[in-house]
Amino acid sequence: MAGDTEKYRDLLKKYGCKVTKQRILVLRTLEEKPDSHMTAEEIYDEIKVDFPEIGLATVYRTIQLLSELHLINRMQVDDGYTRYEIGHLEEPVGKHHHHHLVCLQCHKIISFEEDLLEGLEKSIGEKTGFVVVDHEVTLYGYCKECGGKLIEKTTT
Amino acid sequence: MAGDTEKYRDLLKKYGCKVTKQRILVLRTLEEKPDSHMTAEEIYDEIKVDFPEIGLATVYRTIQLLSELHLINRMQVDDGYTRYEIGHLEEPVGKHHHHHLVCLQCHKIISFEEDLLEGLEKSIGEKTGFVVVDHEVTLYGYCKECGGKLIEKTTT
DNA sequence: GTCCATGCAAATGATTTGCAGTATC
DNA sequence: GATACTGCAAATCATTTGCATGGAC
């Protein structure tokens, strides 16, 4: 974990940003739960446990900065919140092929990796003149738990 | 166009909703520009031209209702607004396979249809126990116009 | 020591809600 | 004619911003 701090320190420096405890903490919080897809407020609450002086505005400002640097990814699942996950720092921007399963019942988000659209990107590009640099696939459905509990709804 | 009004009238009745001028107008506005991906306020402004008495709150309420009925689709492109498009009313819920190209430069959204993930849905389901009922693919890149104008950025 | 980042509190802006009047069925 | 829908204005709530203080380099 301390090694990761080092990694983030270097990345922030590389982009000409000051290295602050708050920035490291946001990155570490998201890294420790790579599949948690936290909201700004959740990140704030999590950090406050060990570092109560942090302000919510700082979390928002940090999140915005880190998104612009592509160190974290922004995502929306239509529940009114913007959520964040740690980026894939090793790979170049737009090449992470990281996708999501969203449970329509409990809003759980599961990530998965899969290189499924390489071919499609090319053919779309040829048809439309669009240069595709990234893609995101979201699958909607019901997770194992909710699928079991699912009560059948009869439309009125 | 009048024929479409008929269609919407029937759909609303089928779901047990009252048929009002406002609801028909929202549906018609979105149908007339199927690729416009309008915000609530844009829909409001458009309708106001011919029907100035409409209220913005009604547009929001109508949009919410129509989304729940899957007559329109909600989407977010990370520009701070929630946008809407007319649904594919002929097909059952979750089977429309309707995807988007988003231009990273001008934020233009282009829709396209393609049945690309049928196989994936099954294999994901088997691996994770997730029952997939729908999917959405978003491709990010640069449209023909912006791609041309694109100034090359050298990464520091 | 300088300048950027932080924390707090106040501001913003999209969306929601309460309520009295109006239209649909 | 009853009930659901509308319009308006006020309320809400996530996110942003101004400003004085504190910390990074």
Side-chain angles (χ1 to χ4, degrees), chain A residues 51-96:
Chain A
F51 185 60
E53 324 69 306
I54 198 167
L56 181 55
T58 301
V59 172
Y60 274 105
R61 275 186 286 233
T62 303
I63 274 168
Q64 182 151 311
L65 174 74
L66 298 177
S67 287
E68 282 164 11
L69 300 180
H70 298 278
L71 298 182
I72 67 178
N73 302 130
R74 198 176 223 126
M75 39 180 313
Q76 321 215 219
V77 199
D78 216 10
D79 63 346
Y81 297 89
T82 303
R83 296 174 174 278
Y84 299 87
E85 63 182 4
I86 193 75
H88 287 219
L89 308 173
E90 323 71 41
E91 301 168 49
V93 171
K95 282 294 152 217
H96 60 268

Side-chain angles (χ1 to χ4, degrees), chain B residues 105 142 150-155:
Chain B
Q105 184 94 33
Y142 298 94
L150 203 62
I151 305 145
E152 305 195 354
K153 290 182 203 164
T154 22
T155 8

